[in-house]
Amino acid sequence: MMKDQNKPSPQEELYRRIDQVADFKERIEALARSIETLNQGLKDLLEETSKYRKSSGNGSPL
């Protein structure tokens, strides 16, 4: 019986899947860093808005 030339060996398939998992992990970590950056930016924006409201004497930022 001849081996299918297009089908990867079980070991090759395992390595391919390990590479996929590593790539997914890197992407998830990058997304987590992006979310943390956005959250920090939102926190900073809220702090600045609060300071503006206190200094302007009214509750409206506009």
Side-chain angles (χ1 to χ4, degrees):
M1 188 168 165
M2 290 181 55
K3 180 181 175 188
D4 184 359
Q5 295 297 324
N6 294 327
K7 185 176 180 181
S9 71
Q11 186 177 14
E12 291 170 331
E13 182 64 20
L14 176 62
Y15 289 141
R16 185 182 71 78
R17 290 187 184 256
I18 289 171
D19 286 342
Q20 281 181 330
V21 169
D23 184 50
F24 291 151
K25 183 180 177 197
E26 288 176 16
R27 290 179 184 202
I28 289 169
E29 288 170 350
L31 285 170
R33 287 189 303 272
S34 297
I35 290 168
E36 181 59 34
T37 299
L38 288 168
N39 280 333
Q40 186 61 48
L42 178 58
K43 180 181 173 186
D44 292 346
L45 180 62
L46 290 172
E47 286 176 10
E48 289 299 315
T49 301
S50 176
K51 289 177 190 177
Y52 173 79
R53 286 181 178 170
K54 287 178 185 176
S55 67
S56 69
N58 66 24
S60 175
L62 298 177

